[in-house]
Amino acid sequence: VTVAARRALAQADVVVTDRLAPRELLDELAADVELVDVAKLPRGRAAAQEAINQLLVARARAGKRVVRLKGGDGFVFGRGYEEVMACADAGIPCTVVPGVTSALSVPALAGIPVTHRGVTHDFTVVSGHLPPGHPDSLVDWAGLGGSKGTLLLLMAVDNLPVIAEALQQHGRSPGTPVAIISDGSMPTERTVLTTLGESAATAADHDVRPPAVIVVGDVVSVANPTAYGQALV
Ligand SMILES: C[S@@+](CC[C@H](N)C(=O)[O-])C[C@H]1O[C@@H](n2cnc3c(N)ncnc32)[C@H](O)[C@@H]1O
C-alpha cells in the first residue's frame, strides 16, 4: 500500500477488509479500532456488495472514520467505484487512495517486467473470469490474440485452457512464454514458467490455484532466458 493508505489506516475508527487485502497491516491497528472482515460474506453476490455498501454508509453516518481496505488497487476489478457511488448517493464524502495493483506488482515480485525496451510497447490487464465466447464477456480475445503486447490475466486460472486456445487461434504463437505467479507476496508465492501451448497442462500438473497473475509475452523469457533456451545477456 501507499504511504497515504498507511496514514488513513492510522486514523481509522473502523476498517472494513477483504480476503486479498494486506492483512499484516491489521496487526498495527489500535485495539479500539473496529475491524469488519467482509471476506466472510458470500463472494460474488450482489447482496454481499449491497451489504458492504450499507455497512460503509451506516458507520460513516454514525460519525466514524471508515477505511475500506482492499487488495491491490480498488479500481482494478475491485468494485471500488461501486462503493464510491454508494457513498456519493448517501452524501458521505470519501477520499480514494490508489493502491498497487497485483497486475503489475505480482510480476515485479517474480522478477518479470511488464514492459522492456525493444520487447513490448504495451501491456493489457484482462479479467479471465468469463471464458472467450461467453455472451457476457466484454473482452476482445481476437484482438488480444492478434496483438504483440504483454497480457496480464487476472482471475484466469479456471479458464486458462480456453483462453490459451483462443489466443493461439487468433494469432499468438504456441511458443509464447507464459509465467503463472500464484500467492504473490505471500510466503507461499510460486512462479511456474511455461508456454502458451503448454500452459493449460502445466497449470494442471502443478495444481495452480487462485489467486494468480498469468503473464503472457516475451517479457517472461527476457526475465528467464535460460528457462527458454536463450543465452543470458
Ligand atoms: C477480484 S481481482 C482484484 C484485483 C485487485 N483489485 C488488484 O488490483 O490487484 C482478484 C484477482 O487479482 C489477482 N491477485 C490479487 N492478489 C493477488 C496475489 N497476491 N497474487 C496473485 N494474484 C493476485 C488474481 O488474479 C485474483 O484472482
Side-chain angles (χ1 to χ4, degrees):
V1 299
T2 59
V3 173
R6 285 197 95 127
R7 280 197 190 121
L9 281 168
Q11 293 168 351
D13 300 312
V14 182
V15 175
V16 181
T17 187
D18 256 338
R19 192 169 55 93
L20 289 174
R23 284 168 169 259
E24 55 275 25
L25 293 177
L26 305 177
D27 299 337
E28 296 172 9
L29 297 175
D32 59 346
V33 174
E34 183 192 3
L35 185 61
V36 185
D37 186 350
V38 296
K40 292 185 180 137
L41 295 171
R43 302 298 302 170
R45 291 191 13 210
Q49 187 60 54
E50 187 49 36
I52 295 169
N53 295 351
Q54 283 173 10
L55 177 82
L56 298 174
V57 168
R59 292 297 192 281
R61 282 201 172 130
K64 307 283 184 188
R65 190 182 276 265
V66 184
V67 168
R68 175 73 169 105
L69 183 65
K70 288 169 171 276
D73 189 296
F75 283 2
V76 180
F77 307 134
R79 305 190 69 163
Y81 204 67
E82 292 173 44
E83 295 170 9
V84 168
M85 289 195 294
C87 290
D89 285 349
I92 307 286
C94 72
T95 306
V96 175
V97 178
V100 182
T101 181
S102 63
L104 306 182
S105 63
V106 168
L109 286 168
I112 300 171
V114 295
T115 66
H116 189 65
R117 191 163 61 92
V119 175
T120 176
H121 287 173
D122 59 282
F123 62 80
T124 309
V125 180
V126 188
S127 171
H129 77 291
L130 293 178
H134 190 285
D136 294 337
S137 175
L138 301 173
V139 178
D140 176 6
W141 291 105
L144 295 176
S147 81
K148 288 190 177 149
T150 306
L151 302 181
L152 303 160
L153 307 174
L154 272 59
M155 297 176 276
V157 171
D158 292 347
N159 289 324
L160 182 56
V162 275
I163 289 172
E165 193 56 46
L167 292 173
Q168 290 172 85
Q169 245 173 35
H170 293 288
R172 293 257 176 170
S173 149
T176 307
V178 170
I180 309 171
I181 311 143
S182 48
D183 290 357
S185 82
M186 302 175 207
T188 47
E189 179 179 317
R190 181 171 64 145
T191 302
V192 174
L193 298 175
T194 180
T195 59
L196 199 55
E198 297 288 322
S199 57
T202 312
D205 286 350
H206 288 79
D207 193 22
V208 171
R209 308 249 170 132
V213 175
I214 302 173
V215 187
V216 179
D218 289 337
V219 288
V220 173
S221 52
V222 167
N224 301 275
T226 52
Y228 291 92
Q230 296 164 7
L232 276 170
V233 282

